[in-house]
Amino acid sequence: MKFNALKGFKDVLPDDSFRWQYVEQTMRDLCAVYGIREIRTPVLEHTELFLRGVGDTTDIVQKETYTFDDRGERSITLKPEGTAGVVRAFVENGLANGPQPTKMFYLNCPVFRYERPQAGRLREHHQFGIEIFGSQSAYTDAEAISLALSVLHALKVEDLIVHINSIGCAECRPQYHAALKAYFAPHIDEMCQTCKERFDRNPLRLLDCKVDHCKEIAKGAPKMLDYLCDDCKTHFETLQCALQALQIPYEIDPTIVRGLDYYTKTVFEIISNHIGSQGTVCGGGRYDKLIETIGGPSMPGVGFGMGMERLLLVMQAQNVEIEEPSRCDVFIHTFGDIERAFVLCMQLRKAGVKAEFDPLNRSTKAQMRYAEKLGATIVLFEGEEERKNRKVNLRRMSDGEQKEYDLAMAMEALEATFVAFNLSK
Ligand code: ATP
Ligand code: MG
C-alpha cells in the first residue's frame, strides 16, 4: 500500500527546511527588536471559540473548518487562524492583569482550512502573526504594519503594496449595515444562496463574496469610509499620518473587509503582484471587541497573520537567494577502520565541528563522492601508516590541495577553524 499526504497538505523536506529556518530567524530577530515575545497555543480548541471569535457568518467557519467530535463527544476544531487561540490563552491565564500593552507573536502556527488547493492555497498552511492587546492607539496599528513590512524588507521581498481600510466600530457600523441592506435589497434575489443567508445577519459579508455576479453587484455598494463616526475617522487619519511619518506608501482600498468577523476600525493587507491572484502575503487589522467576546475584559487589540508558504513563494518568484548553511566541515576517511573514523568524528563534533564519516564503510571512491555531496570543506585522511606516525593528511576540497600534518595539531586547527557553536558555554 502506498501512502500519500492528504490533499492540500505538504511536507517540508530537508533540502528546503533551511529556507523556512532563515525566514523564521528573521521574524524572531525583528520581533525581539519590537519587544514582542512568543506565544504558542494548542492546535485544537473548542469549536465554540471559533464560532464566537472568528464569526459564524464567515466563510472560514461556515465552509472551511476541520471540525469533529473527540472521543468524549466534544466538538473540537483545528485552528483555522491564529488569533482566537491567543486571545483565549490571554484571558484564561490572566495576562490582562499584567502591564499593557501585551505584545505577542506566533511563528509557524499550523492553520487548517478546507479550501480548494491551488498554488499558494493549501489546506494546512503556516502563519507568522502578532497580536498587540491593550492599546487603542492608531500608532499601534502603524507599528504592526511596519513590523510586517520590516520582515518582508529584511527578506528582500520587493514590489509590495499596503492596502488599508477602516470598517468602523459598533457605533457607526449599524448605519452602514442599514445602507448596505438598502443597496442590496433590490438585487438580493439574483445573488447566491450564501449572500441571501447573510443579508440579514451580516450584510458586510456580501462585500466579500467570491461569486462573479455577486462581486459585480457589490462593486456599486456604499463605502464604509463614508459612514465612519468621528472617533473612527480620527483613528483612520492618525494611522495615515503615522504611515506617512514612516514614509510607508499605502493605498486606501475600500473593498477590503477581511474574512473574519472580529475586525473593527483598521483592516489592512500587504499584497505582492509576483505570484498572481494568491498575492496577499499578510492580512490583519484591529479587533477592539474580540477579547470581550471571548469572555475577557473590554480591551482593544490589533494584529496580523502572514502566510509562510505564500511568503516563500513570493521570495522564490523574486529569486531571493538564501544560502544553505554548510552541512559538513570535515569528512573523515580512515581507509577501512570504521571505529577509528567514528572516534575522530565524535572528537570533532564534541568541539562543535560539523564532522562526518561513512558508517557504511564504502570504497574510497564512494566515500569521496559522498563527502562532495555533503559539501565537505576538508577531508581528513588517516591511513594505517599515518596512524602509526600520528600524522594525517588534510585535503581542501575547493582546490584539492593536500598536506600532511601532525595529528594533534591538525585536530586542534580544525576545531579552532570550524567551531559552529561552543558546547561548553
Ligand atoms: P485569502 O484572501 O488569500 O483567502 P485570507 O483573508 O483568508 O486570505 P487570512 O485569514 O488573513 O487570509 O490569513 C493570513 C495570511 O495567511 C494570508 O494573507 C495568506 O498569506 C495566508 N493564507 C490564508 N489562507 C491560506 C491558504 N489556504 N494557504 C496558504 N496560505 C494562506
Ligand atoms: Mg481565505
Side-chain angles (χ1 to χ4, degrees), residues 47-48 81 112 124 160 192 261 265 276 333 355 367 371-372 389:
T47 300
E48 184 63 24
E81 53 87 61
F112 301 88
E124 180 195 32
L160 295 164
C192 75
D261 271 351
K265 296 195 168 90
H333 181 46
Q367 290 203 24
E372 219 163 283
N389 304 326

Side-chain angles (χ1 to χ4, degrees), residues 60 113 115 120-122 125 127 258-260 280-283 305-307 310:
I60 293 181
R113 296 181 187 175
E115 304 198 69
R121 198 171 284 288
L122 296 156
H125 73 275
Q127 288 189 10
R258 315 273 313 118
L260 313 151
T280 310
V281 266
C282 178
M306 190 181 285
R310 250 183 235 182

